[in-house]
Amino acid sequence: MTVFIFLASLVGAMALGIPIAYALLASGVALMWHLDLFDAQILAQNFINGADSFPLLAVPFFMLAGEIMNVGGLSQRIVNFALALVGHVKGGLGYVVVLAGCLLSALSGSAVADAAALTALLLPMMIKAGHKKEVSGGLIAAAGVIGPIIPPSIGFVIFGVTANVSISKLFIAGIVPGILIGAGLALTWWWLGRKETLVLPPRKSRAEIWAAARESVWALMLPVFILVGLRMGVFTPTEAAVVAAVYALFVGNVIYRELPLRALFHIFVTAARTTAVVMFLVAAAMVSAWLITVADLPQQVVELLRPLLGNQTLLMIAIMVLVMVVGTAMDMTPTILIMTPVLMPLIKAAGIDPIYFGVLFIINNSIGLVTPPVGTILNVVAGVGRMKMDEVTRGVMPFMATQFAVMFLLVLFPQLVLAPLRWFY
């Protein structure tokens, strides 16, 4: 009955068009009434405590870093470097999207920021070269999914705080899966475009490639600084976000000189608005998370799935299918905040490595960003690229299928996720 009340109040509020953060608060109040625990002071206290977290400070700073990179020229130079490397081969612009998506994800950690930048910079070029608009938009949307997987990642920060696991280890464990998803997208792009007749850009000379590399070296050094700093213990993931923002500000303003000081106000406001949405969700979810714990819902879920506890692979497949279904109707952040407190006791009871689960969980939620009908990235690509939503949806389908295939491959071979941890720790 408790599970029914929680789900009915949450889904019912969302069906009425209530924003997800308020729907979470409504479901929390409904649970309070059901458990005869209603107290406005407890509600307010849990709401405030939800956002009062030092690790969550990484979220606004990574958001700020992403905005600065797009305005300050770092994103443009990453794309130019990728163009110089592979832009001249058949379908090269698609490979540029994948390569630039991997590199940009190592800078900002935001799927929406990466997708917006790639759409604005590369979609017109792909259409001009002769690629189908819907397939090009679909590839760009799918490449945006890599953002929350390759470190640094805002999704890993939120999951790490919610599940109380090491954010640094999540960052490291996300590297190989992110690269595998990028390789899968490149292979799918090759298969779809093998019969296209295209206008290829001229091959860049070695001097031009070297010039593009020199221009982008300042941007490319940022993920190196972050990974080395985390590995050497120089700073925490939260402090790494501050380093990323300050570094991007310095490079954009002093090195590239494309970030005028008058643009900073707009950048700060944009980053603050995006952060406010995320942090309000986090705070609202803490109310529901506390009541989920009080109502002992995790234990009920454990009992429900107890027959699968003896087989970790089957249990992970069942959980991944569940998250896939939820991802079609709910955005990434609320899914993490709602499902993590419920699933983590089950994961621990089954003896599954929480870092391994966290990476697979975030991958699944990231793919949900391109899963219709709610896919946030689909809306971003459609808006920036001036495309119809159904065009982007049709174009992303084969790439989304590839991403799910890679995800289930990782379910079957967990060492692909866990091996890098042995190299770093």
Side-chain angles (χ1 to χ4, degrees), residues 43 63 65 81 86 117 128 145 159 187 218 248 278 282 295 302 307 311 334 346 368 371 381 383:
L43 188 74
M63 293 282 190
F81 178 55
V86 296
K128 185 178 180 180
V145 168
F159 174 82
L187 184 61
W218 286 97
V278 174
V282 172
V302 170
N311 191 317
L346 182 64
T371 306
V381 173

Side-chain angles (χ1 to χ4, degrees), residues 49-135:
N49 289 341
D52 185 15
S53 171
F54 176 74
L56 283 177
L57 279 174
V59 174
F61 283 107
F62 276 133
M63 293 282 190
L64 178 61
E67 292 292 335
I68 294 173
M69 288 167 196
N70 287 338
V71 177
L74 281 77
S75 300
Q76 177 69 64
R77 282 165 175 80
I78 291 292
V79 172
N80 290 343
F81 178 55
L83 277 170
L85 288 177
V86 296
H88 61 279
V89 302
K90 184 176 181 180
L93 289 174
Y95 305 134
V96 169
V97 169
V98 175
L99 181 59
C102 291
L103 294 174
L104 287 176
S105 68
L107 300 179
S108 71
S110 170
V112 172
D114 293 349
L118 291 173
T119 304
L121 295 171
L122 289 173
L123 185 60
M125 297 173 62
M126 297 175 79
I127 296 171
K128 185 178 180 180
H131 294 292
K132 295 179 181 177
K133 187 174 184 179
E134 62 182 40
V135 178

Side-chain angles (χ1 to χ4, degrees), residues 3 8 60 87 96 115 156 166 182 189 199 240 266 269 271 305 320 334 360 408:
V3 176
V96 169
F156 282 148
S166 170
W189 171 259
V199 179
H266 175 72
V269 168
L305 295 176
M320 290 300 107
L360 269 294
F408 282 109

Side-chain angles (χ1 to χ4, degrees), residues 146-231:
I146 304 173
I149 302 172
I150 293 181
S153 164
I154 294 172
F156 282 148
V157 171
I158 295 174
F159 174 82
V161 172
T162 308
N164 194 27
V165 299
S166 170
I167 297 173
S168 297
K169 290 184 178 180
L170 288 169
F171 279 4
I172 301 303
I175 296 174
V176 172
I179 293 173
L180 288 176
I181 288 176
L185 293 179
L187 184 61
T188 306
W189 171 259
W190 168 81
W191 177 260
L192 293 174
R194 66 193 187 281
K195 295 181 180 179
E196 284 185 322
T197 303
L198 305 170
V199 179
L200 299 178
R203 185 187 186 98
K204 299 292 185 181
S205 65
R206 288 185 179 180
E208 289 174 314
I209 294 174
W210 178 244
R214 277 202 316 271
E215 279 286 301
S216 64
V217 69
W218 286 97
L220 293 172
M221 286 301 294
L222 177 55
V224 177
F225 284 148
I226 291 176
L227 291 177
V228 172
L230 290 174
R231 175 63 184 86

Side-chain angles (χ1 to χ4, degrees), residues 7 17 20 49 71 82 84 120 137 145 170 184 216 224 256 274 284 287-288 303-304 316 321 378 390 392-393 399 404:
L7 292 177
I20 183 66
N49 289 341
V71 177
V145 168
L170 288 169
S216 64
V224 177
Y256 295 152
T274 309
V287 177
S288 295
E303 291 299 325
L304 184 65
M316 283 295 295
V321 171
L378 299 181
D390 59 341
V392 186
T393 302
F399 302 107
F404 278 127

